């Protein structure tokens, strides 16, 4: 299995995440997601009828959620190995989303990734949605080093500090 490579933005068998400014500055778990195939190429739903390969909408991934391709339970995908089944699930989800309109609320990039996971029946489940996906990334995702952590949480931290300082100064004036 190929390994994760931050420098080349390669995340095999992962869901990847990046902040979506300015929403992430105020609600830090909201962001843009994509899903990578077995070689680490990232696919993300960027606009109407558009799934882009290897060029995430907002730059490099800052957080990733490693998944186990051996947890695919779909009987509808074809492949001789778990890597081939993973790629078939990603491809099937991307093909479906190349026929869909894009909206900030629904359907969006998070629904695309959840749809790919549903195609795989990842972990024996076929009902992934945006909220479950965001919760999984929030709780179990890993930052792409210090850079990823700072880009992901830095603006939110600054907003919180500014609010606290503002509240403190107005309270004592």
């Amino acid at each position: 299995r190929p390994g994760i490579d931050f420098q080349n933005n390669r995340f095999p068998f992962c869901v990847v995440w990046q902040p979506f400014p300015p929403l992430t500055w105020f609600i830090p778990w909201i962001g843009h997601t994509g899903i990578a195939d077995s070689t680490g190429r990232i696919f993300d739903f960027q606009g109407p009828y558009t799934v882009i390969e290897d060029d995430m909408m907002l730059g490099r991934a800052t957080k990733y959620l490693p998944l186990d391709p051996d947890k695919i339970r779909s009987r509808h995908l074809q492949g001789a190995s778990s890597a081939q089944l993973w790629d078939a699930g990603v491809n099937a989800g991307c093909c479906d989303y190349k026929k869909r309109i894009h909206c900030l609320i629904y359907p969006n990039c998070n629904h695309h990734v959840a749809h790919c996971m549903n195609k795989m029946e990842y972990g024996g489940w076929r009902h992934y949605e945006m909220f479950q996906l965001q919760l999984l990334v929030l709780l179990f995702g890993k930052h792409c080093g210090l850079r990823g952590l700072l880009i992901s949480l830095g603006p939110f931290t600054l907003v919180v500090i500014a609010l606290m300082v503002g509240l403190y100064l107005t309270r004592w004036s």
Side-chain angles (χ1 to χ4, degrees):
R1 248 163 97 169
I4 291 169
D5 180 0
F6 300 154
Q7 297 288 49
N8 294 310
N9 212 33
R10 290 282 189 246
F11 300 87
F13 307 110
C14 290
V15 170
V16 293
W17 183 93
Q18 58 189 181
F20 194 88
L23 291 175
T24 310
W25 299 351
F26 301 98
I27 309 169
W29 57 88
I30 292 180
H32 181 73
T33 58
I35 190 165
D37 67 8
S38 63
T39 66
R41 292 176 303 160
I42 299 169
F43 296 83
D44 66 313
F45 185 45
Q46 293 186 7
Y49 318 108
T50 308
V51 176
I52 301 293
E53 176 185 335
D54 258 356
D55 188 18
M56 281 190 83
M57 185 170 74
L58 301 168
R60 299 170 86 64
T62 60
K63 201 170 184 183
Y64 63 98
L65 175 67
L67 298 174
D68 182 357
D70 292 328
K71 291 186 177 182
I72 295 171
R73 299 293 177 255
S74 176
R75 291 178 177 32
H76 304 289
L77 299 175
Q78 299 207 354
S81 68
S82 58
Q84 288 175 345
L85 289 171
W86 180 273
D87 290 344
V90 170
N91 184 56
C94 289
C95 286
D96 289 347
Y97 267 70
K98 286 178 181 176
K99 300 173 192 167
R100 292 196 183 183
I101 194 75
H102 184 282
C103 182
L104 186 61
I105 305 299
Y106 182 87
N108 62 33
C109 59
N110 299 293
H111 296 100
H112 164 248
V113 172
H115 184 69
C116 292
M117 292 173 69
N118 289 335
K119 287 284 191 183
M120 296 176 200
E121 295 181 28
Y122 185 79
W125 207 41
R126 293 182 301 157
H127 304 289
Y128 290 97
E129 270 298 334
M130 179 173 79
F131 299 110
Q132 293 93 339
L133 182 65
Q134 289 292 349
L135 188 62
L136 286 171
V137 172
L138 176 70
L139 296 177
F140 304 109
K142 301 175 181 184
H143 286 97
C144 300
L146 181 61
R147 175 196 158 277
L149 177 68
L150 292 175
I151 291 171
S152 298
L153 295 176
F156 173 73
T157 304
L158 292 175
V159 166
V160 168
I161 290 169
L163 284 172
M164 293 175 73
V165 167
L167 288 172
Y168 178 78
L169 293 176
T170 57
R171 184 176 179 185
W172 298 105
S173 57

